mmCIF file of all heavy atoms in Angstrom:
data_model
loop_
_atom_site.group_PDB
_atom_site.id
_atom_site.type_symbol
_atom_site.label_atom_id
_atom_site.label_comp_id
_atom_site.label_asym_id
_atom_site.label_seq_id
_atom_site.Cartn_x
_atom_site.Cartn_y
_atom_site.Cartn_z
ATOM 1 N N PHE A 153 -0.186 10.305 12.907
ATOM 2 C CA PHE A 153 1.283 10.134 12.853
ATOM 3 C C PHE A 153 1.986 10.909 11.745
ATOM 4 O O PHE A 153 3.013 10.533 11.260
ATOM 5 C CB PHE A 153 1.649 8.624 12.666
ATOM 6 C CG PHE A 153 0.919 7.807 13.716
ATOM 7 C CD1 PHE A 153 0.105 6.789 13.276
ATOM 8 C CD2 PHE A 153 1.179 7.861 15.074
ATOM 9 C CE1 PHE A 153 -0.601 5.958 14.194
ATOM 10 C CE2 PHE A 153 0.649 7.028 15.923
ATOM 11 C CZ PHE A 153 -0.381 6.132 15.600
ATOM 12 N N MET A 154 1.386 12.038 11.318
ATOM 13 C CA MET A 154 2.030 12.911 10.307
ATOM 14 C C MET A 154 3.034 13.879 10.996
ATOM 15 O O MET A 154 2.747 14.360 12.167
ATOM 16 C CB MET A 154 0.986 13.674 9.572
ATOM 17 C CG MET A 154 0.157 12.862 8.671
ATOM 18 S SD MET A 154 1.039 12.077 7.379
ATOM 19 C CE MET A 154 1.618 13.378 6.364
ATOM 20 N N ASP A 155 4.178 14.083 10.354
ATOM 21 C CA ASP A 155 5.077 15.000 10.945
ATOM 22 C C ASP A 155 4.468 16.352 10.930
ATOM 23 O O ASP A 155 3.678 16.719 10.023
ATOM 24 C CB ASP A 155 6.377 15.050 10.099
ATOM 25 C CG ASP A 155 7.083 13.726 10.047
ATOM 26 O OD1 ASP A 155 6.821 12.970 11.050
ATOM 27 O OD2 ASP A 155 7.869 13.397 9.209
ATOM 28 N N SER A 156 4.794 17.219 11.965
ATOM 29 C CA SER A 156 4.103 18.501 12.103
ATOM 30 C C SER A 156 4.531 19.400 10.957
ATOM 31 O O SER A 156 3.930 20.348 10.606
ATOM 32 C CB SER A 156 4.542 19.047 13.429
ATOM 33 O OG SER A 156 6.016 19.085 13.606
ATOM 34 N N GLU A 157 5.840 19.119 10.458
ATOM 35 C CA GLU A 157 6.289 19.916 9.295
ATOM 36 C C GLU A 157 5.520 19.716 8.141
ATOM 37 O O GLU A 157 5.525 20.631 7.265
ATOM 38 C CB GLU A 157 7.787 19.541 9.115
ATOM 39 C CG GLU A 157 8.692 19.846 10.266
ATOM 40 C CD GLU A 157 10.166 19.314 9.996
ATOM 41 O OE1 GLU A 157 10.434 18.924 8.901
ATOM 42 O OE2 GLU A 157 10.898 19.321 10.986
ATOM 43 N N LYS A 158 4.947 18.603 7.916
ATOM 44 C CA LYS A 158 4.231 18.242 6.703
ATOM 45 C C LYS A 158 2.682 18.891 6.815
ATOM 46 O O LYS A 158 1.978 18.467 7.660
ATOM 47 C CB LYS A 158 4.171 16.766 6.344
ATOM 48 C CG LYS A 158 5.507 16.167 6.116
ATOM 49 C CD LYS A 158 5.344 14.648 5.774
ATOM 50 C CE LYS A 158 6.800 14.053 5.408
ATOM 51 N NZ LYS A 158 6.686 12.673 5.133
ATOM 52 N N ALA A 159 2.431 19.618 5.765
ATOM 53 C CA ALA A 159 1.020 20.224 5.770
ATOM 54 C C ALA A 159 0.032 19.261 5.239
ATOM 55 O O ALA A 159 -1.135 19.290 5.560
ATOM 56 C CB ALA A 159 1.109 21.513 4.975
ATOM 57 N N ASP A 160 0.486 18.390 4.311
ATOM 58 C CA ASP A 160 -0.354 17.469 3.644
ATOM 59 C C ASP A 160 -0.675 16.302 4.521
ATOM 60 O O ASP A 160 -0.067 16.016 5.602
ATOM 61 C CB ASP A 160 0.182 16.925 2.297
ATOM 62 C CG ASP A 160 -0.864 16.736 1.269
ATOM 63 O OD1 ASP A 160 -2.012 16.703 1.723
ATOM 64 O OD2 ASP A 160 -0.539 16.383 0.138
ATOM 65 N N THR A 161 -1.778 15.525 4.146
ATOM 66 C CA THR A 161 -2.238 14.346 4.960
ATOM 67 C C THR A 161 -1.754 13.067 4.122
ATOM 68 O O THR A 161 -1.304 13.168 3.033
ATOM 69 C CB THR A 161 -3.621 14.366 5.216
ATOM 70 O OG1 THR A 161 -4.376 14.488 3.886
ATOM 71 C CG2 THR A 161 -4.043 15.446 6.013
#
Side-chain angles (χ1 to χ4, degrees):
F153 307 114
M154 290 299 291
D155 296 339
S156 55
E157 298 175 7
K158 293 182 181 179
D160 211 353
T161 54

